[in-house]
Amino acid sequence: MRLLALTAPDPHVSFRDGMNATTASGARKRIAVIPGDGIGKEVIPEAVKVLQAAAVSGGREVALTEFDWGADRYLRDGTTLPADAVAMLHRDFDAILLGAMGDPRVPTNIHAAEILLGLRFKLDLYVNARPCVLFDERFTPLKDRTEKDVNFMVFRENTEGLYVGMGGNFKKGTSDEIAIQEDVNTRKGVERIIRFAYEYAKQRGLRRVCMSDKSNALTFGHDLWQRVFKEVRAEYPGIESSHQYIDNLLMQMVRDPSQFQVIVTSNLFGDIASDLGAQLAGGLGLAPSGNIHPGQVSLFEPVHGSAPNIAGKSIANPMGAILTVGMMFEFLGWQAEAQAIDKAVRAALKEGTTPAELGGTLTTREVGDWVANSIAKFGVAG
Ligand SMILES: NC(=O)c1ccc[n+]([C@@H]2O[C@H](COP(=O)([O-])OP(=O)(O)OC[C@H]3O[C@@H](n4cnc5c(N)ncnc54)[C@H](O)[C@@H]3O)[C@@H](O)[C@H]2O)c1
């Protein structure tokens, strides 16, 4: 491996060297790195460390370019998502690794919405994939549950629903105020996420898909989910399809998570269900996610936010961000490297090499070092 400086693809690049190694197979992958705010800036360097260790072990060639988009940049010069960012990411990158967005100094969270939701919407990253996999039974808050009980994927629709920002206020700030937030559900949007969930199940040999909505109360938007679900599920007779209202789903996830293999739901419900799933699997700091448009540049980020309450203390768990790199490698077709990351994190958990969130004493950096060293030592096929 040798390090080389990359030419910045746009003037908003803050810094970063690219990494180059002779490839065993496949072309060089170009990855944009956006640490963002709060603990994003602490966990992403550890994720990058592990990314580099796995890429080198696997003989992969990776070029990293870091972008300074986030609260500091916004407070400095008003930039949220630069005007040319979406076209540039589309053109020049294979994947994006993001930390988290959100900073108490920006109470409106405008920068976070414009950067993160802007990327999800403008890159049309319609699949939010959030695996909930328990690596070690000691870390689930559920009684008498083991790794085999908590092992499912939540597919959250990622470009529509209540997150599109349509709505407004009337008589804001008065006692007569009206606030409207629209829930947008399109035939195309609902169909493609449900279909993706079934295709995922089919390709992985999984037997069960559960669609969750609130069609008993949301009789227009979620009636569309019901009708599309009935159509799509008929195309997959080999897969057991079920439906649960979101309130029941959340209760069932706690009561008996082993009934789920694939859950597919709307943007808001998926956001909530996947945080619950993350906790069942050990904690938010362990949860990875992918914002995916198959075949196009896609964005990978830990599920957690910027955690201002622990930012700057070096205690954030970087494992979610590290496992996110594994998801990104899988998306890039680098299965062995993805598995090596998975295996190293499992080993760290088994050995109790953990940060405070999981009852350990290691700092964020020490966890990253341990996982990277483990991969360097055992290699990607080890
Ligand atoms: N995708 C994102 O960028 C994203 C997601 C959620 C929240 N946010 C933003 O983050 C900010 C804080 O939001 P929040 O407090 O609701 O959610 P959060 O995920 O930042 O934190 C929730 C709780 O989990 C803990 N936690 C989160 N990640 C952890 C980690 N890696 N290690 C150890 N503990 C961890 C935090 O300390 C906190 O107690 C807000 O501005 C919010 O809008 C951003």
Side-chain angles (χ1 to χ4, degrees):
M1 184 197 75
R2 66 193 169 86
L3 293 174
L4 73 159
L6 277 185
T7 308
D10 90 346
H12 308 296
V13 173
S14 58
F15 63 89
R16 198 45 132 192
D17 282 340
M19 188 187 79
N20 196 25
T22 310
T23 47
S25 64
R28 182 179 75 147
K29 299 297 183 190
R30 303 151 304 168
I31 297 165
V33 180
I34 309 170
D37 300 330
I39 63 166
K41 287 191 277 200
E42 297 170 50
V43 297
I44 287 300
E46 304 313 311
V48 167
K49 196 184 285 174
V50 172
L51 182 159
Q52 291 178 317
V56 169
S57 283
R60 303 292 191 178
E61 190 182 356
V62 183
L64 302 176
T65 307
E66 184 163 321
F67 296 87
D68 66 352
W69 306 333
D72 286 343
R73 175 76 185 272
Y74 173 68
L75 291 168
R76 197 166 66 242
D77 66 12
T79 301
T80 55
L81 189 65
D84 56 348
V86 171
M88 178 270 298
L89 290 166
H90 220 293
R91 187 184 61 235
D92 297 335
F93 290 92
D94 298 296
I96 304 159
L97 177 65
L98 185 141
M101 291 288 163
D103 188 305
R105 293 172 300 165
V106 187
T108 59
N109 239 1
I110 177 75
H111 73 294
E114 290 193 8
I115 296 168
L116 189 52
L117 295 181
L119 289 174
R120 286 177 182 167
F121 293 160
K122 290 175 182 165
L123 291 171
D124 198 28
L125 306 174
Y126 67 90
V127 178
N128 194 329
R130 297 185 158 191
C132 302
V133 181
L134 179 61
F135 282 179
D136 188 313
E137 66 186 58
R138 286 173 300 161
F139 299 116
T140 184
L142 299 179
K143 193 163 150 242
D144 300 331
R145 292 289 176 183
T146 66
E147 287 97 311
K148 69 176 172 30
D149 294 312
V150 184
N151 189 349
F152 57 90
M153 176 69 94
V154 176
F155 286 119
R156 163 188 174 188
E157 200 294 319
N158 211 29
T159 51
E160 304 191 342
L162 277 156
Y163 287 67
V164 298
M166 285 176 70
N169 298 79
F170 182 51
K171 299 185 181 176
K172 189 170 183 179
T174 74
S175 56
D176 292 327
E177 177 166 352
I178 298 171
I180 293 175
Q181 195 89 38
E182 299 289 355
D183 182 16
V184 174
N185 300 271
T186 69
R187 165 81 206 196
K188 173 184 156 188
V190 175
E191 182 174 340
R192 65 183 180 175
I193 188 68
I194 293 179
R195 194 174 290 286
F196 188 93
Y198 274 97
E199 281 300 315
Y200 175 88
K202 187 176 158 187
Q203 282 167 24
R204 304 225 166 189
L206 300 173
R207 299 182 314 281
R208 295 192 293 278
V209 172
C210 178
M211 192 278 276
S212 185
D213 62 21
K214 191 66 185 168
S215 48
N216 50 345
L218 307 178
T219 52
F220 304 113
H222 286 198
D223 176 61
L224 176 63
W225 279 78
Q226 280 290 324
R227 285 180 282 122
V228 173
F229 176 56
K230 283 193 182 97
E231 277 180 40
V232 176
R233 78 180 185 194
E235 297 172 29
Y236 298 87
I239 293 174
E240 189 187 312
S241 299
S242 64
H243 168 261
Q244 291 182 6
Y245 297 124
I246 185 64
D247 38 354
N248 182 34
L249 178 95
L250 297 178
M251 182 271 282
Q252 293 291 346
M253 283 171 67
V254 175
R255 192 188 68 81
D256 179 16
S258 71
Q259 66 187 288
F260 300 110
Q261 289 184 326
V262 176
I263 293 169
V264 59
T265 188
S266 64
N267 206 337
L268 176 65
F269 295 166
D271 194 358
I272 297 166
S274 58
D275 264 31
L276 175 58
Q279 194 57 52
L280 299 183
L284 258 187
L286 263 173
S289 81
N291 300 262
I292 297 167
H293 188 123
Q296 295 184 20
V297 62
S298 294
L299 184 155
F300 297 81
E301 55 172 338
V303 171
H304 63 74
S306 57
N309 59 335
I310 58 166
K313 295 182 179 164
S314 303
I315 59 169
N317 184 358
M319 289 172 168
I322 289 168
L323 291 168
T324 294
V325 171
M327 279 188 86
M328 186 172 73
F329 278 179
E330 203 178 321
F331 170 80
L332 295 172
W334 294 354
Q335 307 298 343
E337 290 77 4
Q339 278 164 18
I341 291 174
D342 208 81
K343 197 171 166 187
V345 171
R346 278 178 194 267
L349 292 171
K350 291 279 178 228
E351 291 197 13
T353 313
T354 53
E357 185 195 34
L358 300 172
T361 55
L362 266 63
T363 64
T364 309
R365 182 177 296 174
E366 286 167 342
V367 175
D369 284 343
W370 195 96
V371 176
N373 290 338
S374 168
I375 291 170
K377 185 170 163 197
F378 295 109
V380 297

